[in-house]
Each structure stands twice: as C-alpha cells, then as structure tokens.
Amino acid sequence: MFNLEQYLTDLEELTNIDSGSYYRTGVNEVQKWFYERFISLGYKAECFAPKNPELGDSYLYTKDGETEFDLLVLCHVDTVFPEGEVASRPFRREGNEVKGPGVAVMKGGCLFTWYAARE
C-alpha cells in the first residue's frame, strides 16, 4: 500500500544528497540507496562503471536476472546542481509542493519507479 508520508520522507532523504553530474560520490550514494532497496525486492543488479572517473556508476536491475523483459524504465539520479547546492536549497515542503535539487527530475521519478516495482 502506498504511504505518501513515507514516500515524502524517502524523497527528502534522496533530495538532500548532492548528486551533481560530476560529483561521483553523491551520485553513487543515491545509487547505493536504490541498490539496497531493489536487492531487497529480489532484483539482480549489474553495475556499469563509467570510463570517466568523475561520473557515477550506472545499474541495470532485472527480476531474477532475466535477460528478456516486457518493460524498460530508464532513470537518472544525477542533477545539474553542483556539490553544495543542497546546503543552500534543501528539501522543503511549501503547502502541497515539495522543492529541492532534483526533487521532480529525476529523484522523484526514480523513487516512484521503486515504489511501483515494490507494489
């Protein structure tokens, strides 16, 4: 069952991780968050390290290691914001809106994908 408060708590945690495109540490921290959760659902993970050492790792998640699938969902966890952006603009709620670096594109979408996979 979807729990909006838990979703927003998770989104706050993810949003408050600096993960600019060239901030490998932050991108990999977000990737680790998703890795742990997809693995807990029984997914298999394959990691792809980039040739550019500034970029974070990418992952392919498949159910039980299947190589054929009916649906492919592509998401990214990096943002366009530099390291330190979260300190000046952390996650916040303003009425029915949530704001912060990457809250909608793409951290919110990745999180929603994980929630859908979990269901």
Side-chain angles (χ1 to χ4, degrees):
M1 175 114 172
F2 182 76
N3 179 318
L4 179 59
E5 284 306 312
Q6 184 59 54
Y7 178 87
L8 291 172
T9 297
D10 291 341
L11 184 57
E12 180 174 6
E13 183 178 347
L14 289 168
T15 301
N16 286 338
I17 299 170
D18 277 317
S19 60
S21 298
Y22 295 97
Y23 183 50
R24 178 178 175 80
T25 300
V27 170
N28 283 348
E29 186 177 342
V30 175
Q31 291 287 33
K32 180 180 181 224
W33 193 98
F34 282 105
Y35 173 88
E36 291 170 352
R37 282 152 183 84
F38 272 101
I39 294 300
S40 76
L41 297 178
Y43 281 79
K44 303 294 181 198
E46 186 175 354
C47 180
F48 298 89
K51 291 180 183 176
N52 181 338
E54 292 180 285
L55 302 176
D57 296 334
S58 296
Y59 284 84
L60 173 66
Y61 297 101
T62 56
K63 194 67 172 168
D64 301 321
E66 294 176 6
T67 57
E68 294 184 22
F69 47 87
D70 296 321
L71 177 66
L72 174 66
V73 178
L74 300 172
C75 298
H76 63 87
V77 300
D78 65 319
T79 68
V80 299
F81 303 104
E83 182 181 1
E85 186 72 18
V86 167
S88 63
R89 287 190 321 117
F91 178 92
R92 66 196 179 285
R93 294 185 194 190
E94 293 181 3
N96 288 330
E97 295 181 3
V98 291
K99 298 182 178 186
V103 75
V105 178
M106 183 73 210
K107 292 177 181 178
C110 292
L111 182 59
F112 186 80
T113 297
W114 181 78
Y115 269 75
R118 186 183 71 178
E119 291 302 314

